[in-house]
Amino acid sequence: MKENYNQVTLSLETNFKGIQDTAQKRLEYASFVEKEYITYFTTIVSKINDEEQSRELMLQINRFDYLFQIHDSIIDLFESKRIMNEQFIELKSDILILIRELSSDTLTLFTHTSEHLEQPKNDEIEKAAKSLQLHLNQAQRKLLMLLADTNRKDAGALTNFVTYSQRLKDKLLNLHKMYSHKNAEL
C-alpha cells in the first residue's frame, strides 16, 4: 500500500503519463488481489469446524478488509489526479510543495506503521501522526486562503486531496491500534 501511495502522489506531482499509468496499474493489481482474497475467504469459511478457527478467520478477514480500506483511500487520491487531468488543471509550485510535504509525512507514517507491525515496540508512530496532522491543518488553511482567488483552480481541485489524506492518516493510526490491541492480548 505504501508503494501504491507513493506512486499515486508522484502522479499528482508530475504530468508524466508513464507515472500515472504505472499508478493506475498498481491500483488495479491491488483491486485484483482484494477480489482474490474475498474468493479465498469465501471458500475457507466452509472448512471451519470450531469456534477458535472461526475467531481467527474473522480476525484475518478484518485485517485484510482494513488494508483494503486503506487501498480505497489511495484510489480516492488517484481519482483526484484523474479529475484534474480531465479538467486540464495544472498545479502551481506552492501546491506541489504542499503535496510533497503531506506525502512525505504520510510515507513516514506508513513506514512507522509497517515497522510497528513487524516489531510492536515502535513509538515513532505518534510523532509521525502529529507531524502529518500539523501539515494537514496548515494545508487546509493555505487552501482556504487560495480558494478566494478565482484564478487558483488548482487549490479547489486539491481540497479533496487534503480530506483523503486525513482519512488515510486516520486509517493508518487505526491499523496501528488494531495490531497493538491484538499484540497486547498475546
Side-chain angles (χ1 to χ4, degrees):
M1 295 299 164
K2 177 184 175 183
E3 290 303 318
N4 289 354
Y5 174 80
N6 189 36
Q7 195 68 34
V8 166
T9 56
L10 283 174
S11 76
L12 278 163
E13 293 175 29
T14 66
N15 284 326
F16 294 117
K17 182 147 176 50
I19 292 174
Q20 186 172 352
D21 290 346
T22 302
Q24 183 173 355
K25 287 177 184 169
R26 290 182 73 93
L27 294 176
E28 287 170 358
Y29 179 73
S31 294
F32 167 78
V33 169
E34 179 180 15
K35 289 176 188 171
E36 290 296 308
Y37 273 110
I38 289 170
T39 301
Y40 170 75
F41 287 132
T42 302
T43 58
I44 199 76
V45 165
S46 64
K47 298 180 183 357
I48 300 297
N49 52 13
D50 69 24
E51 190 175 330
E52 185 177 330
Q53 288 178 340
S54 178
R55 256 185 279 213
E56 185 62 32
L57 178 63
M58 289 307 299
L59 180 65
Q60 293 302 321
I61 289 171
N62 287 338
R63 286 179 174 172
F64 278 100
D65 180 58
Y66 211 82
L67 288 174
F68 291 116
Q69 288 181 33
I70 291 169
H71 170 68
D72 290 343
S73 289
I74 296 169
I75 288 174
D76 290 340
L77 291 167
F78 186 72
E79 284 300 307
S80 295
K81 173 63 174 178
R82 188 185 61 73
I83 291 168
M84 283 186 271
N85 284 349
E86 285 176 1
Q87 297 178 4
F88 303 105
I89 297 172
E90 190 172 325
L91 300 176
K92 307 265 190 283
S93 61
D94 57 341
I95 296 293
L96 290 172
I97 290 170
L98 187 141
I99 289 172
R100 177 54 24 213
E101 289 172 347
L102 291 178
S103 64
S104 177
D105 280 352
T106 302
L107 287 169
T108 300
L109 185 57
F110 262 110
T111 298
H112 291 308
T113 301
S114 176
E115 289 170 355
H116 176 78
L117 298 179
E118 293 172 16
Q119 180 72 324
K121 298 180 181 178
N122 182 356
D123 296 330
E124 296 296 313
I125 292 174
E126 294 299 322
K127 285 195 277 186
K130 285 179 183 177
S131 176
L132 177 54
Q133 188 62 55
L134 176 67
H135 281 113
L136 285 165
N137 294 343
Q138 290 170 346
Q140 285 177 327
R141 282 191 298 277
K142 184 173 187 169
L143 287 173
L144 283 173
M145 292 185 326
L146 291 173
L147 283 172
D149 183 352
T150 57
N151 294 324
R152 292 302 303 265
K153 291 181 183 178
D154 60 335
L158 209 66
T159 56
N160 286 338
F161 178 81
V162 175
T163 302
Y164 299 149
S165 295
Q166 178 70 51
R167 278 193 224 146
L168 182 57
K169 178 198 77 101
D170 294 342
K171 287 177 182 179
L172 287 170
L173 284 176
N174 286 336
L175 180 68
H176 160 311
K177 289 176 185 173
M178 183 170 67
Y179 275 85
S180 295
H181 178 67
K182 174 65 177 158
N183 289 330
E185 289 176 357
L186 298 175

